[in-house]
């Protein structure tokens, strides 16, 4: 599997502040260049926790298993090392950072990703091109990061960063949540516009509707912290029609109660 | 220092100062001799320990203040000593900060040599900022006594920038700044402290604002060993408004002590206070502020905030906001205070964009400080502040 971008092996994750709360209970997942994987599951199944743990969030603790990124074991890496290596997490709830403009964030992020200062002119040209690609106004870049942004603006700001950072793995954590149909289409079209053959995408979603715009190659269903089923795009359509219950019943699983924030 | 102060009057006459001024210096010198040293038993001195400072070992020194900026006819921005025969100086100098009030103010009143007067006549608007530069970097161990008198007459307007720098030698700074805000005047004052690492700064800023006058004071406290700044505003005329903003960036054993008083005397007056500190190493910050609303000050609107970011486990901050409200008829009278580490979610967000922890903190602290720039019409100030924050945090103990 040397060509895998992401190779998650037997990953077990708990909450750092409450190690007794085990959320991810042994996940295996391989994403290759150009592939789009959708990770679906009911509320509280551990989808966002898995995304955060792959990105290295200190809020979560890896209790077992490994994460390989481009062939390297990054399980112990800090989040910034992972990002510089080419991993990008689009947050479900992007954090507001008053006083820090999008421009300042993008410049610092680009400098970190490339390991060198990006000349101002070059940076501005790239930013303008990406803004245009995403049909975003330039005034957006002068605003404070996510501060006072609408739900749709926050998600577009994430995709703007994705576009500038040019990662090799993009994890989109519920990028569709809180968006109306038009905003969802704009964001999804943005993601499609930014696709590159060398980039893998992992889309975390509760609903199938974003997958109407971004077609997955593989769909995984996460229940109780484990991937219980993987299949093609038809699996997502089946979930859209019938919900998760038929899968749970088939597996002899009862649906677990939702965990806040998981 | 004592002997030097006693000789202050005679020296002033020798220099050719007007008799009234020399007499005032003598009075100030006597006040200095009789007043007790500040005691840590009482606020506002509770949080700053002066026992390590041997004031006797700091001989008075003088540093010329450079003033740039031009004013309309009848205005003045230049040496205070050279303006000693002007009526405006005789009327207002020491009117807000009398030497009898405390030992430090008495020392300043007796000893100031290089002061600056900014006099804005009725209706005058300074087109560009008036920049007052004090560069003490060439001094050996000494004490300096900067004095600034700002008299803004009715409907006048100016932005005044005070740039302070010193070298590595131990320096005691005892400063006094008076702002006379005439009706509907607008004064913006930026105090930009670039002190060296062994400078102890004790500065008082006091303003009296008449009807509809507006004052914004912003302080950038980045250098220095000990920084104690008192900013007091008397909102004496109806509709007067003031904003006091300050940021402190500490590392090592730097100590910041901010004292503010927003004294709402007249009806429908508005005050804003926002003091922010970000502290690395074993730095410490203290804020003690009083919002006072007199019985007559109906419709007052006061908001007092003190936010502290602790960037290391050894940094410490205390907040002591006080409200004294003597009327129930107010719009708002609030205070907020926080002490804690940076927002961990914001830190992870930035780290997830590839920024190492230090770079992320540089960005977060610079952002935290941005509000100090407020509405100051100083292009480039925000960027300069970002750069200074980044430079200091590049080596700070986080």
């Amino acid at each position: 599997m040397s060509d895998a971008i992401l190779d998650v092996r037997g990953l077990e994750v708990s909450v750092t502040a409450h190690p007794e709360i085990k959320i991810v209970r042994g996940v295996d997942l391989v994403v290759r260049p150009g592939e789009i994987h959708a990770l679906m599951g009911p509320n509280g199944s551990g989808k966002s926790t898995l995304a955060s743990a792959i990105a290295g969030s200190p809020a979560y603790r890896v209790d077992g298993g490994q994460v390989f990124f481009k062939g390297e074991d990054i399980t112990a890496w800090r989040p910034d090392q992972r990002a510089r290596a080419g991993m990008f997490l689009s947050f479900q709830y992007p954090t507001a950072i008053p006083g820090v403009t999008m421009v300042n964030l993008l410049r610092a992020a680009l400098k970190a990703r490339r390991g060198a200062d990006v000349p101002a002119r070059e940076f501005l040209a790239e930013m303008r091109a990406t803004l245009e690609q995403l049909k975003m106004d330039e005034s957006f870049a002068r605003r404070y990061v996510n501060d006072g942004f609408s739900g749709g603006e926050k998600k577009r700001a994430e995709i703007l960063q994705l576009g500038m950072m040019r990662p090799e793995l993009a994890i989109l954590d519920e990028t569709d949540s809180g968006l109306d149909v038009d905003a969802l289409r704009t964001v999804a079209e943005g993601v499609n516009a930014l696709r590159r053959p060398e980039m893998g995408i992992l889309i975390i979603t509760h609903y199938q509707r974003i997958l109407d715009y971004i077609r997955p190659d593989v769909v995984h269903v996460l229940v109780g912290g484990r991937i219980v089923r993987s299949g093609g795009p038809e699996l997502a359509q089946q979930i859209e029609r019938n919900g998760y219950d038929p899968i749970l019943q088939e597996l002899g699983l009862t649906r677990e109660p939702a965990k806040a924030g998981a | 220092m004592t002997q030097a102060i006693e000789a202050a009057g005679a020296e002033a006459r020798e220099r050719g100062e007007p008799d009234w001024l020399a007499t005032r210096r003598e009075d100030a010198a006597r006040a200095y001799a009789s007043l007790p040293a500040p005691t840590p038993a009482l606020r506002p001195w509770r949080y700053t320990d002066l026992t390590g400072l041997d004031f006797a070992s700091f001989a008075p020194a003088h540093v010329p203040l450079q003033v740039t900026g031009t004013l309309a006819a009848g205005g003045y921005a230049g040496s205070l000593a050279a303006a000693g025969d002007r009526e405006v100086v005789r009327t207002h100098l020491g009117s807000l900060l009398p030497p009898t009030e405390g030992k430090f103010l008495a020392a300043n009143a007796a000893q100031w040599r290089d002061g600056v007067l900014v006099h804005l006549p009725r209706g005058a608007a300074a087109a560009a900022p008036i920049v007052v530069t004090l560069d003490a970097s060439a001094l050996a161990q000494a004490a300096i006594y900067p004095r600034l008198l700002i008299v803004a007459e009715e409907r006048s307007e100016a932005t005044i920038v005070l740039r302070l720098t010193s070298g590595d030698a131990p320096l005691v700074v005892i400063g006094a700044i008076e702002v006379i805000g005439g009706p509907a005047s607008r004064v913006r004052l930026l105090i930009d402290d670039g002190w060296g690492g062994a400078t102890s700064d004790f500065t008082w800023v006091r303003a009296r604002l008449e009807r509809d006058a507006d004052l914004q004071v912003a302080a950038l406290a980045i250098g220095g060993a000990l920084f104690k700044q008192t900013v007091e505003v008397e909102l004496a005329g109806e509709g007067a408004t003031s904003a006091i903003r300050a940021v402190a960036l500490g590392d090592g054993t730097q100590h910041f002590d901010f004292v503010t008083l927003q004294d709402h005397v007249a009806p429908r007056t508005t005050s804003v206070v926002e003091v922010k500190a970000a502290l690395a190493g074993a730095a410490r910050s203290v804020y003690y502020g009083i919002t006072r609303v007199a019985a007559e000050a109906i419709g007052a609107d006061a908001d007092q905030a003190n936010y502290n970011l602790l960037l290391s486990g050894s940094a410490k901050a205390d907040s002591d906001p006080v409200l004294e409200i003597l009327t129930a008829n107010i719009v708002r009278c609030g205070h907020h205070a926080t002490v804690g580490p940076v927002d961990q979610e914001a830190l992870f967000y930035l780290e997830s964009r590839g920024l190492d922890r230090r770079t992320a903190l540089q960005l977060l602290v610079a952002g935290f400080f941005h509000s100090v720039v407020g509405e100051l019409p100083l292009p480039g100030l925000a960027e300069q502040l970002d750069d200074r924050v980044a430079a200091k945090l590049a080596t700070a103990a986080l």
Side-chain angles (χ1 to χ4, degrees):
Chain A
M1 297 208 184
S2 61
D3 65 337
I5 292 173
L6 180 70
D7 183 355
V8 176
R9 297 182 194 167
L11 196 66
E12 295 171 31
V13 181
S14 62
V15 178
T16 306
H18 298 280
E20 72 280 6
I21 305 177
K22 315 266 180 222
I23 299 180
V24 176
R25 300 158 183 246
V27 163
D28 294 283
L29 182 66
V30 175
V31 179
R32 291 188 179 78
E35 286 182 351
I36 298 180
H37 289 238
L39 186 68
M40 301 184 72
N43 284 330
S45 58
K47 303 186 299 291
S48 283
T49 298
L50 178 61
S52 296
I54 293 171
S57 167
Y60 299 102
R61 199 179 82 165
V62 172
D63 297 321
Q66 288 161 298
V67 180
F68 289 85
F69 184 61
K70 297 190 288 183
E72 268 195 273
D73 183 350
I74 63 158
T75 316
W77 285 21
R78 294 188 48 82
D80 53 306
Q81 292 174 293
R82 298 177 195 217
R84 287 196 296 274
M87 188 185 283
F88 182 87
L89 172 65
S90 169
F91 283 61
Q92 183 180 3
Y93 303 110
T95 314
I97 311 181
V100 177
T101 59
M102 288 296 300
V103 173
N104 279 358
L105 168 63
L106 288 168
R107 281 211 78 162
L110 222 56
K111 182 181 173 183
R113 173 88 168 100
R114 300 195 184 161
D117 240 325
V118 184
R121 190 172 295 182
E122 189 182 316
F123 167 78
L124 279 176
E126 272 184 53
M127 189 181 75
R128 285 188 182 129
T130 314
L131 281 165
E132 201 173 315
Q133 212 169 4
L134 299 174
K135 302 184 182 73
M136 291 163 79
D137 193 81
E138 202 175 318
S139 64
F140 201 77
R142 288 191 294 271
R143 291 170 65 186
Y144 291 151
V145 176
N146 299 319
D147 192 26
F149 284 19
S150 69
E153 285 174 333
K154 282 184 185 173
K155 297 301 168 81
R156 282 197 288 167
E158 295 292 286
I159 304 309
L160 170 64
Q161 294 173 61
L162 165 64
M164 299 282 292
M165 300 279 285
R166 301 173 70 80
E168 281 145 277
L169 175 70
I171 305 169
L172 309 181
D173 187 7
E174 307 225 7
T175 295
D176 50 344
S177 70
L179 298 186
D180 60 33
V181 176
D182 291 331
L184 175 64
R185 187 185 298 119
T186 308
V187 166
E189 282 170 359
V191 173
N192 285 328
L194 297 169
R195 282 189 69 182
R196 291 154 27 243
E198 63 272 27
M199 179 168 78
I201 299 178
L202 178 62
I203 300 178
I204 314 270
T205 183
H206 185 80
Y207 302 103
Q208 189 259 345
R209 57 178 196 157
I210 193 173
L211 306 179
D212 288 340
Y213 302 98
I214 309 172
R215 294 281 296 168
D217 300 298
V218 188
V219 175
H220 308 276
V221 179
L222 191 72
V223 176
R226 292 185 185 94
I227 289 176
V228 295
R229 181 153 302 175
S230 298
E234 70 287 349
L235 184 52
Q237 282 150 14
Q238 188 189 320
I239 290 167
E240 179 71 5
R241 275 196 309 274
N242 308 322
Y244 291 102
D245 285 346
I247 298 172
L248 299 179
Q249 280 160 12
E250 204 177 309
L251 293 162
L253 291 167
T254 47
R255 202 157 156 179
E256 300 196 356
K259 288 187 195 82
Chain B
M1 189 154 82
T2 313
Q3 269 187 343
I5 283 171
E6 281 160 3
E11 285 172 12
R13 283 194 177 80
E14 267 172 43
R15 287 197 301 272
E17 285 188 4
D19 194 55
W20 68 267
L21 186 51
T23 306
R24 285 202 197 172
R25 290 189 189 274
E26 284 163 353
D27 292 345
R30 269 192 292 279
Y32 177 82
S34 62
L35 286 165
T39 162
L42 294 170
R43 292 188 299 198
W45 286 95
R46 185 183 286 168
Y47 309 100
T48 294
D49 184 4
L50 297 178
T51 50
L53 267 178
D54 175 18
F55 285 95
S57 67
F58 292 84
H62 303 289
V63 215
L65 277 71
Q66 311 294 333
V67 183
T68 60
T70 49
L71 287 177
Y76 182 93
S79 162
L80 178 61
D85 53 354
R86 289 183 182 232
E87 189 53 37
V88 70
V89 175
R90 187 167 180 166
T91 306
H92 294 296
L93 184 66
S95 65
L96 298 182
L97 291 170
T100 47
E101 202 172 285
K103 212 168 180 69
F104 285 72
L105 287 172
N108 179 287
Q111 285 291 353
W112 72 266
R113 187 78 64 81
D114 303 298
V116 166
L117 167 70
V118 176
H119 179 206
L120 307 163
R122 214 180 139 96
I130 297 165
V131 180
V132 178
T133 307
L134 185 159
D135 181 1
S137 55
L139 289 182
Q141 178 160 339
I144 58 171
Y145 303 87
R147 183 115 204 167
L148 184 57
L149 175 63
I150 300 166
V151 181
E153 291 187 18
E154 188 167 356
R155 290 193 321 279
S156 64
E157 202 174 319
T159 297
I160 299 157
V161 178
L162 188 54
R163 289 201 196 287
L164 309 161
T165 49
S166 62
D168 296 331
L171 189 70
V172 167
V173 181
I174 297 177
I177 300 172
E178 292 168 297
V179 182
I180 317 289
S185 61
R186 286 163 57 88
V187 174
R188 276 91 187 92
L189 173 63
L190 173 70
I191 304 172
D192 181 355
D193 142 37
W195 294 130
T199 294
S200 298
D201 180 352
F202 306 87
T203 291
W204 279 259
V205 181
R206 194 171 292 167
R208 184 171 192 279
L209 303 182
E210 292 184 45
R211 175 182 274 269
D212 296 327
D214 178 52
L215 171 69
Q216 288 192 16
V217 181
L220 314 180
I222 293 175
L226 192 167
F227 184 90
K228 182 172 175 71
Q229 185 178 72
T230 305
V231 182
E232 299 172 328
V233 179
E234 183 189 354
L235 300 147
E238 183 165 356
T241 56
S242 69
I244 302 171
R245 297 191 175 93
V247 293
L249 180 58
D251 186 26
T253 58
Q254 278 184 286
H255 180 105
F256 303 95
D257 181 340
F258 292 96
V259 178
T260 73
L261 169 67
Q262 306 71 244
D263 196 0
H264 294 255
V265 175
R268 285 167 284 281
T269 43
T270 301
S271 71
V272 172
V273 175
E274 193 178 66
V275 174
K276 293 181 169 181
L279 305 167
R284 182 165 189 216
S285 179
V286 178
Y287 170 71
Y288 166 53
I290 303 173
T291 298
R292 189 187 288 153
V293 180
E296 297 75 27
I298 56 168
D301 184 342
D303 194 49
Q304 189 185 4
N306 172 226
Y307 303 119
N308 298 281
L309 282 185
L310 304 180
L311 306 176
S312 83
S314 317
K316 189 170 183 293
D318 290 288
S319 199
D320 188 357
V322 178
L323 302 177
E324 294 175 10
I325 317 297
L326 302 178
T327 174
N329 187 354
I330 54 169
V331 173
R332 171 176 64 156
C333 192
H335 63 80
H336 329 263
T338 58
V339 178
V342 297
D343 177 355
Q344 295 304 299
E345 284 182 25
L347 191 59
F348 172 58
Y349 188 81
L350 294 181
E351 287 180 324
S352 79
R353 277 22 180 175
L355 279 61
D356 60 52
R357 195 181 152 78
R358 190 175 288 274
T359 306
L361 287 173
Q362 284 169 325
L363 215 54
L364 284 176
V365 172
F368 176 58
F369 281 175
H370 259 208
S371 58
V372 75
V373 176
E375 297 140 43
L376 292 173
L378 296 167
L381 180 63
E383 291 75 16
Q384 283 169 30
L385 188 58
D386 287 355
D387 290 346
R388 282 159 73 181
V389 167
K392 180 151 182 172
L393 290 183
T395 57
L398 302 175

